[in-house]
Amino acid sequence: MTDPRLVTLGLSAAFAVYVVLVRDRRGAPPARAIEASIPTGIELTVAHAGTIKTYRFGRRILVGRAPSADLRLDDPRVSRLHARIEMRDDGVYVEDLGSRNGTAVDGEAVTGPRRLEVDDEMTVGAAALVFRGVGAWR
């Protein structure tokens, strides 16, 4: 009967030789992939309740009073789910979600999906939301 320690030693040595031979055949590692700057989020500046802050969100933003809203505005004139801002293939759009007091862009009421341009100002209740653009951030 063979000693199990010798079998283990033989297998370990064979594995070490195999690793050395395979490593030599692999060659140099491939070059690192180029990181593309794909727009991944929406940037808004929000003026509300005496403060002005800039936020970076994902591709879709729900605006409202509800705890589930991405941008929560504590204002009685804002509906629980008031508006949606989302990135689509051809631009960023804002849409009123049937709110009682409505949503406006540069003073004009939003009646359907409306495409936003950089520096467009949306009014939701007493808050002013300025669309700053899209970007790629983590």
Side-chain angles (χ1 to χ4, degrees), residues 31 55 100 119:
Y55 297 97
R100 183 175 298 162
D119 292 332

Side-chain angles (χ1 to χ4, degrees), residues 32-99:
R32 291 185 53 105
I34 298 173
E35 187 172 321
S37 131
I38 299 170
T40 59
I42 301 167
E43 186 171 309
L44 294 177
T45 299
V46 179
H48 178 63
T51 62
I52 299 174
K53 293 183 181 177
T54 299
Y55 297 97
R56 289 178 172 172
F57 296 96
R59 298 178 66 85
R60 179 182 297 165
I61 307 164
L62 286 175
V63 180
R65 275 191 354 254
S68 61
D70 300 311
L71 178 58
R72 193 168 184 279
L73 300 172
D74 191 23
D75 182 344
R77 290 175 284 185
V78 175
S79 299
R80 290 179 53 76
L81 291 177
H82 195 98
R84 175 179 46 234
I85 304 167
E86 69 180 339
M87 193 183 311
R88 298 180 184 169
D89 290 338
D90 60 337
V92 176
Y93 288 81
V94 62
E95 184 175 3
D96 187 79
L97 298 176
S99 65

